[in-house]
Structure formats: C-alpha cells, structure tokens
C-alpha cells in the first residue's frame, strides 16, 4: 500500500474519508475518546483488514459506531435500561452491549460470531459528520497496532499505521483521551465491562442501582476489547485435518482439497487462493453454515499461523476446546 493519506477536517476531507470507507478501505478518525480505526462494519472483508492492520492476535468483537440512537436501534435491541442510558449519554463515550436486532447488518466478524453487539454514538463532531456521510455502521477499535498505546492524535496514528491503512482524518487531539465505558444490557442487571469516559457513578445515579461487575469481572464476559468464550458450533471441531471422514463437514483452505472431501456432508472453502484476509472474512459465517448441515464434526484444513492466520487459528482452537 502507498503512504497513508492525511485528510483535513473539511468538506473535501470528509467526503474522501467516507468514500474510502464505503469502498472497503480503512480510515482512522477522531472520536472524543481516542482515534478509531474505521471500516464498514457490514463488510466482513473490510473488518478483516482492521485485524490485519492492527496485527491483532484474536477476533475480539468490535464496537460499531453510529450517527444516532435511531440508527443504533436498527442494529441492537434496547431494553428499558439500555434506552435510558442511550438517551442520557449518547452522543458520548459510552458503549452499550445489547442483543442483536433482527434488522442488524453488522457482520459476524465484527461481532466475533456473537448474538450481541457493542454500539456507540460518538460525540466528536467530525466523527458524527463522517458517520452521517458514510451512512452505515463503522467498526472502529483504537487506531494502533495491537498492544500499543491508544492514539489521541493523527501523528500517533501515523506512527503506528502509516502505509498500513488508506487514510487518517486529522481532527486534532481527542479531548477525553481514554476509551469509552462499556456496559452490557443483555438481560438481568446491567454490568460494567470496562471503565472509561463515563464514570460508573454517573451511570448508577441515572439507573438507580449498582452496576454489577468491574474490570476483573468484566474480563470474563462477552464484550469488545476483552477476550471471552466466543461463538462455538454445536458440532465438534477437528483441527489440522489432512483427510475428511465420511459424514463430516469440511472447512477447507487453499486450492488442494483433502482426501475424502467428496464424501463430506458439506464443504466450504475459506479461500481457494490461500488469502488469509478472505478467509477471516468468511470464518464465522462458514462455521455457522457447516454447523447447520447437522454434521457431528467439522474437520478443518491446516491454516498457516502467519499474519491473520494467527487470529483465525486462535478462534478455531477456541471452537475446538472442550466444553
């Protein structure tokens, strides 16, 4: 990729950034918390490129950014508590994890295969304008390589990601400088999954109850920004399969089909060309489709550990773990 474009915070910069996002490219942009690395959340291949750019070792669910609460309600189901929090703190540095709505268009990969979704309406005027022009949910973890310090200006972004993404929209320094607070509203009492830009006390005062959990408890739960047990198929998962047994479903990779593929109950190829970005984009939807075949076992071809292969194999090992 050529050098990352540095776009100005004006009408032409916004139009260029929105066009890149709509075409499947990556754009870092300012929010009031930190700079986010944005991709069209409805495009699994674009989302896979986020993981590749960040060198992220596993497919955590990503926060989807929207331009309004009305847009968010098309993606997630808001109970009374979630609605009260959204109306009070959006736009702002609060992410709500809610059940997926039937009208949800956010990709399986952005949700890490979960039936919940993390949603936020940012308050930064440039982010809001970009989301309006893009006219679709934008998945955006922090715009830095995995494990490094979150960026709060465009120079930080370029220091980590120059040449790895299409553009950064330069909106100056992020005013909050810490990530959004994450609260899950998945039935029962709401839980604090990550402290951030909205204090716990302000949330508790609004809803009239103590939030369950905290950073340690939250780390065990399903949320953007923290590891958890993700979607696992009903079928058993057999890794590094060099042959396919009769009646097994087959999750393939590369041009060569293993021995026995013709007798598989169902077979899907993550990427016949051996493209790991394409494979990541297909991973969750193909697992679901093969699980729906009714096969007792899904046999998975070997996948290299390089690049996004590390994250794909991490996810597959979780799916194959004893449960």
């Amino acid at each position: 990729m050529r050098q990352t474009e540095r776009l100005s915070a004006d009408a032409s910069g916004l139009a260029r950034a929105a066009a890149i996002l709509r075409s499947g490219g990556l754009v870092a942009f300012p929010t009031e918390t930190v700079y986010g690395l944005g991709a069209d959340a409805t495009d699994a291949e674009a989302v896979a490129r986020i993981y590749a750019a960040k060198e992220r070792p596993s497919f955590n669910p990503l926060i989807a950014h929207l331009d309004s609460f009305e847009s968010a309600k098309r993606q997630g189901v808001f109970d009374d508590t979630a609605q009260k929090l959204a109306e009070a703190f959006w736009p702002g540095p609060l992410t709500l994890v809610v059940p997926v709505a039937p009208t949800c268009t956010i990709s399986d990969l952005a949700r890490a295969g979960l039936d919940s979704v993390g949603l936020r309406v940012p308050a930064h005027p440039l982010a809001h304008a970009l989301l309006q022009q893009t006219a679709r949910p934008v998945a955006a973890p922090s715009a830095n390589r995995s494990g490094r310090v979150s960026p709060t200006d465009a120079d930080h972004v370029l220091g980590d990601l120059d040449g790895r993404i299409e553009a950064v929209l330069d909106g100056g320094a992020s005013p909050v400088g810490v990530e959004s607070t994450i609260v899950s509203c998945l039935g029962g009492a709401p839980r604090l999954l990550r402290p951030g830009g909205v204090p716990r006390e302000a949330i508790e005062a609004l809803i009239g109850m103590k939030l369950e959990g905290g950073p340690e408890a939250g780390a065990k739960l399903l949320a953007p920004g923290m590891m958890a047990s993700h979607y696992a198929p009903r079928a058993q998962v057999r890794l590094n399969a060099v042959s396919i047994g009769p009646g097994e479903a087959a999750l393939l990779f590369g041009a060569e089909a293993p021995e026995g593929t013709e007798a598989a109950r169902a077979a899907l190829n993550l990427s016949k060309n051996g493209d790991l970005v394409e494979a990541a984009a297909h991973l969750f939807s193909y697992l679901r489709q093969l699980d729906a075949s009714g096969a007792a076992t899904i046999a998975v071809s070997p996948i290299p550990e390089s690049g996004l292969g590390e994250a794909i194999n991490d996810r597959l090992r979780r799916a194959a773990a004893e449960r």
Side-chain angles (χ1 to χ4, degrees):
M1 184 185 291
R2 57 191 173 88
Q3 188 175 19
T4 296
E5 292 181 60
R6 187 174 194 139
L7 303 175
S8 56
D10 56 19
S12 63
L14 276 167
R16 174 67 178 146
I20 290 170
L21 288 170
R22 287 194 301 268
S23 67
L26 303 184
V27 177
F29 64 96
T31 76
E32 70 277 21
T33 57
V34 299
Y35 272 64
L37 178 54
D40 178 357
T42 70
D43 180 345
E45 207 156 316
V47 172
R49 295 189 60 233
I50 290 179
Y51 292 102
K54 285 178 66 72
E55 299 178 348
R56 199 161 182 157
S58 54
F59 294 134
N60 293 356
L62 302 178
I63 296 168
H65 295 67
L66 300 117
D67 66 350
S68 68
F69 183 25
E70 288 305 310
S71 296
K73 285 191 281 191
R74 290 193 285 274
Q75 305 298 332
V77 176
F78 290 76
D79 62 16
D80 290 344
T81 299
Q83 178 153 334
K84 186 180 290 188
L85 289 169
E87 289 172 345
F89 296 113
W90 281 355
L94 176 69
T95 294
L96 295 173
V97 179
V98 296
V100 168
T103 51
C104 181
T105 58
I106 294 167
S107 68
D108 268 356
L109 185 61
R111 303 194 329 267
L114 301 174
D115 292 325
S116 58
V117 63
L119 303 172
R120 182 162 97 84
V121 178
H124 196 291
L126 202 58
H128 183 260
L130 177 61
L131 291 164
Q132 280 196 312
Q133 289 199 30
T134 305
R136 59 195 68 175
V138 172
S142 57
N144 55 280
R145 295 202 202 185
S146 190
R148 297 190 184 177
V149 178
S150 295
T152 55
D153 65 31
D155 287 337
H156 296 161
V157 174
L158 291 169
D160 247 11
L161 298 175
D162 191 14
R164 302 174 72 86
I165 65 176
E166 278 73 17
V168 56
L169 186 60
D170 189 350
S174 296
V176 176
V178 295
E179 285 88 349
S180 62
T181 304
I182 302 178
V183 175
S184 75
C185 298
L186 296 173
R191 297 189 68 97
L192 177 69
L193 302 186
R194 182 179 75 186
V198 176
R200 173 200 285 266
E201 293 80 5
I203 295 169
E204 291 176 342
L206 178 76
I207 63 176
M209 69 176 82
K210 292 285 188 184
L211 287 171
E212 294 193 7
E216 293 78 22
K220 301 172 187 172
L221 299 178
L222 307 173
M226 44 199 66
M227 284 310 302
S229 173
H230 295 162
Y231 168 79
R234 290 182 294 273
Q236 294 298 309
V237 175
R238 184 167 69 84
L239 302 179
N240 298 313
V242 294
S243 63
I244 310 300
E248 289 186 321
L251 186 63
L252 309 176
F253 179 81
E256 297 297 321
E259 181 184 349
T261 298
E262 66 282 353
R265 184 160 187 153
L268 292 169
N269 197 318
L270 291 169
S271 175
K272 289 182 180 178
N273 299 324
D275 183 330
L276 290 167
V277 171
E278 181 184 14
H282 290 152
L283 178 61
F284 290 104
S285 62
Y286 281 13
L287 275 174
R288 287 179 186 272
Q289 289 178 57
L290 292 176
D291 203 23
S293 74
T297 302
I298 299 171
V300 183
S301 294
I303 295 169
E305 285 280 352
S306 59
L308 274 187
E310 182 182 2
I312 293 168
N313 282 306
D314 170 86
R315 179 59 192 85
L316 288 168
R317 282 190 287 268
R318 291 172 185 277
E322 286 188 28
R323 38 186 200 271

